[in-house]
């Protein structure tokens, strides 16, 4: 469907919303006329009042002049051509090849995404300022060839007037949702008032010693909910029609990207995106926010920039994940077709002589990737997150893991402190064991119902694993505080706890002896006495060259959350 026909259909759908409003107002007017004609004074006054209350959301929705804007402001920094000449040059070259006007603004955002918008005028009939959004985490996981494909895809939306009509479609959807929301709010308010009225009456009856009736608000707000259902039905029709256009637009933009940047590069970018999205989510959970509970964040630029280190340390993981695609099915309300269907269509195109050769990392298009990664934090992180202490990655991992270990050992530490006084350290626990207090301490630990019902040796077997685990945590904490143990950062695996020489083989048996039926703290005391402070082994840091290569995404501490 060409842009003119799509514009006419979008206008028709928007006009349908207004026509529905006029029909509903006419229906309410007819009901008022019938009430005045055929009923007595009190009845028609009530009918007219209800009609007016129902008409208010309809009129408000019809005369909403503009689509609500995002109250949080810009999602990232806008970069000028003077700041990022290579990026702008790439976008302009691709726009010329696609056959469209380049965007007027490029905004860098956090996330595995890219998008374009256009502030069109006269309902999308006249073009307006264009804006392109590029996710730094997307750039972190793609090479230049695949990023060029993504950019060409987004520019393809300008060619087909997708962005110009987007404002018109969005306006109609916003009006529908706003009208439905007004009716839902009115219905909820009516139910709340009726519930309060019935509860008040029930309280009075109870105070007089009478039996109160159960609160029943079944019929309350039914007129508002009926109106909401009518508009919801039209909203479904509206969204289904516009979303089917959106899915066709994605296919057309994919073809534009393949024509400009090649079949294989386009298919590769499509395949890599869901894998990169999953990698980004894992990185944010396992690395970027690891130190939040300890009051820590990575150095500026590394909250999102650390993703590139993880990708570089796992070179085969992203490629392997890209071989399998999500198996979601297409839905009538989806804005994008299933990624597997998009890839299949592109890979079915004839070979165009351009392979999927890799190029330099996409972040290399930025003059100063580190500065952009640091700058995006000011837009995305909350004020609370920006106020956390910033440390290097190795220190963040060590201090964070120490915090979690201390938290995990808190139950036993509290029990030891309650039995012996003091702070409940490993040394205090060993003294308590030598004093015969092991099983008294065990009684203070949480137990399952089965453990509480047990007695004698069976009871000890239930609680022994918790004692073993808790004592190990206290020992590790003591070693860490002495500088004799340290958690090491790994970008390719979990953090590694580096214990003093000889501990890996001897710590388990020593703990077994300390919490045995005949406790013996000697082996553990001997180990602790031999544990001298050691120079922490630094985790391998990315080279300066790789640090300028890529970037990352969004977090539990972001404003979007």
């Amino acid at each position: 469907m060409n842009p003119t026909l799509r514009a006419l259909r979008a206008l028709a759908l928007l006009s349908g919303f207004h026509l529905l409003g006029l029909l509903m107002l006419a229906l309410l007017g007819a009901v008022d006329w019938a009430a005045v004609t055929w009923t007595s004074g009190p009845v028609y006054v009530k009918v007219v009042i209800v009609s007016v209350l129902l008409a208010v959301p309809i009129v408000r929705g019809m005369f909403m002049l503009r689509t609500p804007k995002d109250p949080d402001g810009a999602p990232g920094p806008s970069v000028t051509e003077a700041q990022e000449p290579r990026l702008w040059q790439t976008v302009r070259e691709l726009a010329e090849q696609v056959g469209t006007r380049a965007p007027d603004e490029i905004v860098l955002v956090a996330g595995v995404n890219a998008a374009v918008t256009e502030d069109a005028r006269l309902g999308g009939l006249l073009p307006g300022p264009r804006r392109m959004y590029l996710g730094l985490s997307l750039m972190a996981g793609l090479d230049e060839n695949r990023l060029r494909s993504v950019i060409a895809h987004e520019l393809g939306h300008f060619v087909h007037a997708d962005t110009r009509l987007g404002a018109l479609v969005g306006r109609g959807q916003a009006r529908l949702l706003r009208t439905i929301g007004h009716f839902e709010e009115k219905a909820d308010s009516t139910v709340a008032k009726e519930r309060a009225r019935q509860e008040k009456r029930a309280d009075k009856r109870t105070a007089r010693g009478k039996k109160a009736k159960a609160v029943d608000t079944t019929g309350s707000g039914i007129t508002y909910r009926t109106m909401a259902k009518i508009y919801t039905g039209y909203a479904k029709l509206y969204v289904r029609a516009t979303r089917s256009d959106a899915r066709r637009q994605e296919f057309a933009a994919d073809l534009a990207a393949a024509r400009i940047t090649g079949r294989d590069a386009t298919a590769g970018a499509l395949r890599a995106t869901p894998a990169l999205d999953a990698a980004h989510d894992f990185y944010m959970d396992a690395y970027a926010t690891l130190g939040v509970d300890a009051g820590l964040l990575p150095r500026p630029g590394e909250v999102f920039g650390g993703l590139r280190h993880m990708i570089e340390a796992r070179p085969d993981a992203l490629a392997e994940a890209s071989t399998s695609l999500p198996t979601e099915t297409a839905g009538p309300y989806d804005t994008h077709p299933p990624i597997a269907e998009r890839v299949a269509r592109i890979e079915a195109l004839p070979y165009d002589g351009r392979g999927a050769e890799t190029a330099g990392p996409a972040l290399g298009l930025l003059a100063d990737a580190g500065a952009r990664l640091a700058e995006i934090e000011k837009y995305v992180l909350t004020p609370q997150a920006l106020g956390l202490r910033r440390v290097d990655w190795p220190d963040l991992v060590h201090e964070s893991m120490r915090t979690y270990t201390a938290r995990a050992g808190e139950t036993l530490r509290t029990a030891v402190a309650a039995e012996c006084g003091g702070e409940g350290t490993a040394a205090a626990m060993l003294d308590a064991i030598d004093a015969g207090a092991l099983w008294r301490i065990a009684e203070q630990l949480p137990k399952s119902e089965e453990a509480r019902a047990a007695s004698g040796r069976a009871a000890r077997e239930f609680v022994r694993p918790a004692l073993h685990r808790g004592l190990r945590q206290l020992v590790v904490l003591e070693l860490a505080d002495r500088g004799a143990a340290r958690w090491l950062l790994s970008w390719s695996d979990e953090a590694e706890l580096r214990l003093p020489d000889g501990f890996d083989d001897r710590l388990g048996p020593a703990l077994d002896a300390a919490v045995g039926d005949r406790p013996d703290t000697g082996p553990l005391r001997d180990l602790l006495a031999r544990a001298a402070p050691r120079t922490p082994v630094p985790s391998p840091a990315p080279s300066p060259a790789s640090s300028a290569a890529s970037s990352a995404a969004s977090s539990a501490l972001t404003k979007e959350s």
Side-chain angles (χ1 to χ4, degrees), residues 88 91-92 95 100-107 115-117 128-133 151 155 158:
W88 269 99
V91 172
R92 292 192 189 282
T100 189
R101 175 168 57 90
D104 302 285
E105 184 180 7
I106 296 178
V107 179
V116 288
T117 61
R130 294 177 170 184
R131 187 175 293 110
M132 173 174 282
Y133 299 91
I151 294 173
L155 292 170
F158 288 137

Coordinates of all heavy atoms in Angstrom, one line a residue, residues 88 91-92 95 100-107 115-117 128-133 151 155 158:
W88 N 28.2 10.7 11.6 CA 27.3 11.5 10.7 C 27.6 11.2 9.2 O 26.7 11.2 8.4 CB 27.5 13.0 11.0 CG 26.6 13.5 12.1 CD1 26.8 13.6 13.4 CD2 25.2 13.9 11.9 NE1 25.7 14.1 14.1 CE2 24.7 14.2 13.1 CE3 24.4 13.9 10.8 CZ2 23.4 14.7 13.3 CZ3 23.1 14.3 10.9 CH2 22.6 14.7 12.2
V91 N 25.9 8.0 8.3 CA 24.4 8.2 8.1 C 24.1 8.9 6.9 O 23.1 8.6 6.1 CB 23.9 8.9 9.4 CG1 22.4 9.2 9.2 CG2 24.1 8.0 10.6
R92 N 24.8 10.0 6.6 CA 24.5 10.8 5.4 C 24.8 9.9 4.1 O 24.0 10.0 3.1 CB 25.4 12.0 5.3 CG 25.0 13.0 6.4 CD 25.7 14.4 6.2 NE 25.5 15.3 7.3 CZ 24.4 16.0 7.5 NH1 23.3 15.8 6.8 NH2 24.3 16.8 8.6
A95 N 21.9 7.5 3.8 CA 20.7 8.2 3.4 C 20.6 8.5 1.9 O 19.6 8.3 1.2 CB 20.5 9.5 4.2
T100 N 16.8 9.2 0.5 CA 16.0 9.9 1.4 C 16.8 11.0 2.0 O 18.1 11.0 1.9 CB 15.4 9.1 2.5 OG1 14.4 9.8 3.2 CG2 16.4 8.5 3.4
R101 N 16.1 12.0 2.7 CA 16.8 13.0 3.4 C 17.4 12.5 4.7 O 16.7 11.8 5.4 CB 15.8 14.2 3.7 CG 16.3 15.3 4.5 CD 15.4 16.5 4.4 NE 14.0 16.2 4.9 CZ 13.6 16.3 6.1 NH1 14.5 16.7 7.1 NH2 12.4 16.0 6.4
A102 N 18.6 12.9 5.0 CA 19.2 12.4 6.3 C 18.5 13.0 7.5 O 17.9 14.0 7.4 CB 20.7 12.8 6.3
P103 N 18.6 12.4 8.6 CA 18.0 12.9 9.8 C 18.6 14.3 10.2 O 19.8 14.5 9.9 CB 18.3 11.9 10.9 CG 19.4 11.1 10.4 CD 19.3 11.1 8.9
D104 N 17.9 15.1 10.9 CA 18.4 16.4 11.4 C 19.1 16.2 12.7 O 19.8 17.2 13.1 CB 17.2 17.4 11.5 CG 16.5 17.5 10.2 OD1 17.0 18.2 9.3 OD2 15.4 17.0 10.1
E105 N 18.9 15.1 13.4 CA 19.5 14.9 14.7 C 19.8 13.5 15.0 O 19.0 12.6 14.5 CB 18.5 15.5 15.8 CG 19.1 15.4 17.2 CD 18.1 15.9 18.2 OE1 16.9 16.2 17.8 OE2 18.4 16.1 19.4
I106 N 20.9 13.2 15.6 CA 21.2 11.8 16.0 C 21.3 11.8 17.5 O 22.1 12.6 18.1 CB 22.5 11.3 15.4 CG1 22.4 11.2 13.9 CG2 22.9 9.9 15.9 CD1 23.7 10.8 13.2
V107 N 20.6 10.9 18.2 CA 20.5 10.8 19.6 C 21.1 9.4 20.0 O 20.6 8.4 19.5 CB 19.1 11.0 20.2 CG1 19.1 10.9 21.7 CG2 18.6 12.4 19.8
A115 N 16.0 3.5 16.2 CA 14.7 4.0 15.8 C 14.8 5.3 15.1 O 15.8 6.0 15.2 CB 13.7 4.1 17.0
V116 N 13.8 5.7 14.3 CA 13.7 7.0 13.7 C 12.3 7.6 14.0 O 11.3 6.9 14.1 CB 14.0 7.0 12.2 CG1 15.4 6.7 11.9 CG2 13.1 6.0 11.5
T117 N 12.3 8.9 14.1 CA 11.0 9.6 14.3 C 11.0 10.9 13.4 O 12.1 11.3 12.9 CB 10.7 10.1 15.7 OG1 11.8 11.0 16.1 CG2 10.7 8.9 16.7
G128 N 8.7 16.9 8.5 CA 9.2 17.8 9.6 C 10.6 17.3 10.0 O 11.2 16.5 9.3
P129 N 11.1 17.9 11.1 CA 12.4 17.5 11.5 C 12.5 16.0 11.8 O 11.6 15.4 12.4 CB 12.6 18.3 12.8 CG 11.6 19.4 12.7 CD 10.5 18.9 11.9
R130 N 13.6 15.4 11.4 CA 13.8 14.0 11.6 C 14.9 13.7 12.6 O 15.8 14.4 12.8 CB 14.3 13.3 10.2 CG 13.2 13.4 9.2 CD 13.8 12.8 7.9 NE 12.7 12.6 6.9 CZ 12.9 12.1 5.7 NH1 14.1 11.7 5.3 NH2 11.8 11.9 4.8
R131 N 14.7 12.6 13.3 CA 15.6 12.2 14.4 C 15.9 10.8 14.4 O 15.0 9.9 14.1 CB 14.9 12.6 15.8 CG 15.8 12.4 17.0 CD 15.1 12.9 18.2 NE 14.9 14.4 18.2 CZ 13.7 14.9 18.1 NH1 12.6 14.2 18.0 NH2 13.6 16.3 18.0
M132 N 17.1 10.4 14.6 CA 17.5 9.0 14.6 C 18.1 8.7 16.0 O 18.9 9.4 16.6 CB 18.6 8.7 13.5 CG 19.2 7.3 13.7 SD 20.3 6.9 12.3 CE 19.1 6.5 11.0
Y133 N 17.7 7.5 16.5 CA 18.1 7.0 17.8 C 19.0 5.8 17.6 O 18.6 4.9 16.9 CB 17.0 6.7 18.8 CG 16.1 7.9 19.1 CD1 15.0 8.1 18.2 CD2 16.3 8.7 20.1 CE1 14.1 9.2 18.5 CE2 15.4 9.8 20.4 CZ 14.4 10.0 19.6 OH 13.5 11.1 19.9
I151 N 21.2 0.9 10.3 CA 21.0 2.4 9.9 C 20.2 2.5 8.6 O 19.3 3.2 8.5 CB 22.3 3.1 9.9 CG1 22.9 3.2 11.3 CG2 22.1 4.5 9.3 CD1 24.3 3.8 11.3
L155 N 16.6 4.2 8.0 CA 16.4 5.2 6.9 C 15.3 4.8 5.9 O 14.6 5.7 5.3 CB 17.7 5.5 6.2 CG 18.8 6.2 7.1 CD1 20.2 6.1 6.3 CD2 18.4 7.6 7.4
F158 N 12.0 6.3 6.4 CA 11.7 7.6 5.9 C 11.2 7.6 4.5 O 10.3 8.3 4.1 CB 13.0 8.5 6.0 CG 13.4 8.9 7.3 CD1 14.8 8.8 7.7 CD2 12.5 9.4 8.3 CE1 15.2 9.2 9.0 CE2 12.9 9.8 9.5 CZ 14.2 9.7 9.9

